[in-house]
Amino acid sequence: MAVTVRKVLGATAVLAVAGAIAGPMAMAQSRPPRVPPGEVAIPDVGKTSTVTRTGLLRGLGPSPFAGARATLVMVSHGARSAVRLKVTGVGRAAAGRTYGAHLHTGPCVAGDGAAAGPHYNTDVLDGRKPPRVDRTREVWLDFTVTSSGSGTARTVVPFAPNPGDRSIVIHEHATDHHGVAGARLACLPVSWR
Ligand SMILES: [Cu+2]
């Protein structure tokens, strides 16, 4: 048995998850004959779910992200997720700069950065005290803006975020080792059930 996942933003995210089970080449060789072009076959071990959200970023303060768009693709397979973020249409002033970006627990509300709540952190959700803060317990998606006004980031985390009305928040600085990245500039709403 195999399940198929529609190719959304390139197969990178899907392959990253499936890669834990079989290398991409092995997968290609074991591809069932009825998998249509543009889809990827992965072994049916554990549950796979894909969340894809795309849209205009919502402003949380003055920033070069006014009018910018973002796409998030999150592929969870068992207790492992590959997450990819692509941002386009960023103002020229941002070229060459790196911005922090994370999955936050709360919703993305224009003009209300606090509404997004804290980072999604598995230690916090598990009640561990003190919670550890790093890229294996949170979804960190820092990106650097190119001269054409786009940026991409990807990460693989050892958990599948719980559904909810959540957001990807873009911050003014790159994320430091404490998970701090400065003011909240813009967000992408990411709700799933
Ligand atoms: Cu954040």
Side-chain angles (χ1 to χ4, degrees), residues 43-118:
D44 189 6
V45 180
K47 183 170 171 276
T48 297
S49 61
T50 303
V51 174
T52 305
R53 295 293 179 271
T54 189
L56 274 174
L57 290 172
R58 295 177 182 176
L60 301 176
S63 85
F65 294 96
R69 300 179 63 84
T71 298
L72 181 85
V73 180
M74 182 167 65
V75 181
S76 298
H77 187 72
R80 193 171 163 89
S81 302
V83 189
R84 183 176 158 97
L85 176 70
K86 183 174 175 72
V87 180
T88 57
V90 186
R92 291 199 172 275
R97 285 196 55 184
T98 299
Y99 294 87
H102 322 107
L103 177 66
H104 284 238
T105 59
C108 170
V109 179
D112 185 2

Side-chain angles (χ1 to χ4, degrees), residues 121-133 137:
N121 179 299
T122 53
D123 270 8
V124 171
L125 292 167
D126 292 344
R128 182 187 167 105
K129 288 178 182 152
R132 294 158 295 182
V133 174
R137 294 169 179 92

Side-chain angles (χ1 to χ4, degrees), residues 100-104 117-119 138-140 168-171 175 179 181-182 184:
H102 322 107
L103 177 66
H104 284 238
H119 290 182
E138 302 187 348
V139 179
W140 292 3
I168 296 293
V169 174
I170 297 172
H171 296 256
T175 307
R184 301 177 178 199

